[in-house]
Amino acid sequence: MLDISNLSKTFSPHTPLENKVIDNLSLQVASKDFITLLGSNGAGKSTLLNLIAGTYPADEGTISLDGKDITSRKAYERAMLIGRVHQDPRLSVSPNMTLLENLSLADAKGESFSLKKAVNLKRISYYKEQLAQLGLGLEDKLNTKIGLLSGGQRQAVALYMAVMKKPKLLLLDEHTAALDPRTSELIMTVTDSLIRKEEITTLMVTHNMKHALEFGNRLIMMHEGHIVKDVSGEEKSHLTTENVIQMFKDNADSIEDRFVLGL
């Protein structure tokens, strides 16, 4: 489904600040995989998502989605195939627009429209029905500006918007990191429910070890731009927190200041 081959990315090449963040990385992702990506700061997790989304151009290697090479496609072209939720919800939604306006824009993704035409009043009942399933009271806040919602509500909206058009791939970049523990758990429940319901292939970057173990069918650990561990199926289901900590110790000098256990 997603095929990454010999991907590399270096920032500030040929300067004293040269930093090779992704180093000849290859990865095959099957349809409906839900992969959690772990790694210390600087391991290359978010950079990998940015390369897949087209935010950064690759220096070397190829990225294929459903058998089509998208390596040279612009980010806005890939956005038709890829949904994404950032750690900062302001990057995923328009905070000065109402919830209804945000949903309408997401609903009209890929179409030519003006905002006035994009707001389809006939879809309000549908939006309310779908939002009610999230269990956050959003169905009664369609005319509220996104910026006035709670952090958890904003991320739930960002998630819903990201999957509205049923993307081939969903990228989640630490989308619960800025939330308090209770809200983080709630959003992960919403995340898992949406992914299962829509059967969307997903890559989720997280620093929360509990989430990495509890969710998804596959866990990948990165270190210095490489994949150092790829665990799936029954092997993943038997992983413990201690196992993962040992993986970090095997690949880094210290994890204490760079890894949030999230327990």
Side-chain angles (χ1 to χ4, degrees):
M1 192 273 180
L2 175 67
D3 190 353
I4 298 171
S5 181
N6 306 120
L7 196 66
S8 293
K9 181 64 181 179
T10 300
F11 293 102
S12 304
H14 313 302
T15 74
L17 298 177
E18 179 173 311
N19 182 20
K20 193 162 194 174
V21 182
I22 300 293
D23 188 6
N24 197 36
L25 183 148
S26 294
L27 172 66
Q28 285 73 48
V29 179
S31 178
K32 301 180 186 179
D33 264 352
F34 181 1
I35 296 175
T36 54
L37 278 167
L38 282 173
S40 56
N41 289 339
K45 308 179 299 299
S46 292
T47 298
L48 176 60
L49 263 58
N50 279 317
L51 289 168
I52 294 170
T55 307
Y56 301 148
D59 295 336
E60 299 176 11
T62 59
I63 304 171
S64 296
L65 190 59
D66 267 2
K68 296 181 180 180
D69 189 338
I70 63 170
T71 313
S72 299
R73 288 195 185 184
K74 301 296 184 182
Y76 72 86
E77 295 175 312
R78 301 189 204 190
M80 299 306 303
L81 307 171
I82 300 172
R84 188 172 187 184
V85 181
H86 301 265
Q87 179 178 339
D88 185 347
R90 291 175 298 181
L91 299 176
S92 304
V93 298
S94 298
N96 291 321
M97 297 172 63
T98 67
L99 174 52
L100 176 59
E101 290 169 339
N102 272 270
L103 294 178
S104 297
L105 287 175
D107 212 4
K109 187 176 181 179
E111 302 173 12
S112 179
F113 61 87
S114 66
L115 180 58
K116 184 176 181 180
K117 291 181 180 179
V119 177
N120 188 344
L121 300 181
K122 295 179 180 179
R123 295 282 279 172
I124 288 180
S125 295
Y126 171 77
Y127 294 149
K128 285 187 174 183
E129 178 184 336
Q130 296 300 307
L131 290 172
Q133 295 178 30
L134 301 181
L136 295 171
L138 289 165
E139 64 274 17
D140 298 321
K141 297 183 180 295
L142 284 178
N143 294 313
T144 301
K145 287 187 176 181
I146 291 286
L148 298 178
L149 300 178
S150 69
Q153 287 175 324
R154 289 197 301 269
Q155 286 298 62
V157 171
L159 271 167
Y160 178 61
M161 288 171 58
V163 304
M164 278 183 75
K165 303 293 278 190
K166 299 187 186 301
K168 293 184 179 296
L169 180 66
L170 177 62
L171 304 178
L172 305 175
D173 195 356
E174 297 189 60
H175 70 302
T176 67
L179 305 175
D180 64 79
R182 180 179 175 278
T183 305
S184 175
E185 294 300 319
L186 177 61
I187 293 304
M188 276 310 308
T189 299
V190 171
T191 299
D192 191 53
S193 175
L194 284 173
I195 290 172
R196 290 175 181 272
K197 177 184 175 183
E198 304 297 338
E199 298 184 324
I200 298 175
T201 307
T202 302
L203 272 69
M204 181 180 79
V205 170
T206 182
H207 276 259
N208 188 310
M209 196 183 306
K210 178 177 179 293
H211 291 168
L213 291 173
E214 182 178 350
F215 297 99
N217 66 303
R218 189 173 167 192
L219 182 151
I220 287 176
M221 180 173 286
M222 292 183 64
H223 182 65
E224 296 183 346
H226 298 92
I227 292 175
V228 295
K229 197 73 175 179
D230 187 344
V231 184
S232 60
E234 187 174 348
E235 184 181 2
K236 180 182 183 295
S237 68
H238 288 101
L239 279 179
T240 65
T241 300
E242 290 72 23
N243 296 148
V244 179
I245 290 175
Q246 188 58 51
M247 291 180 198
F248 269 87
K249 289 181 177 179
D250 290 343
N251 290 285
D253 295 330
S254 173
I255 64 170
E256 285 81 3
D257 297 328
R258 297 182 294 167
F259 188 68
V260 178
L261 294 180
L263 300 178

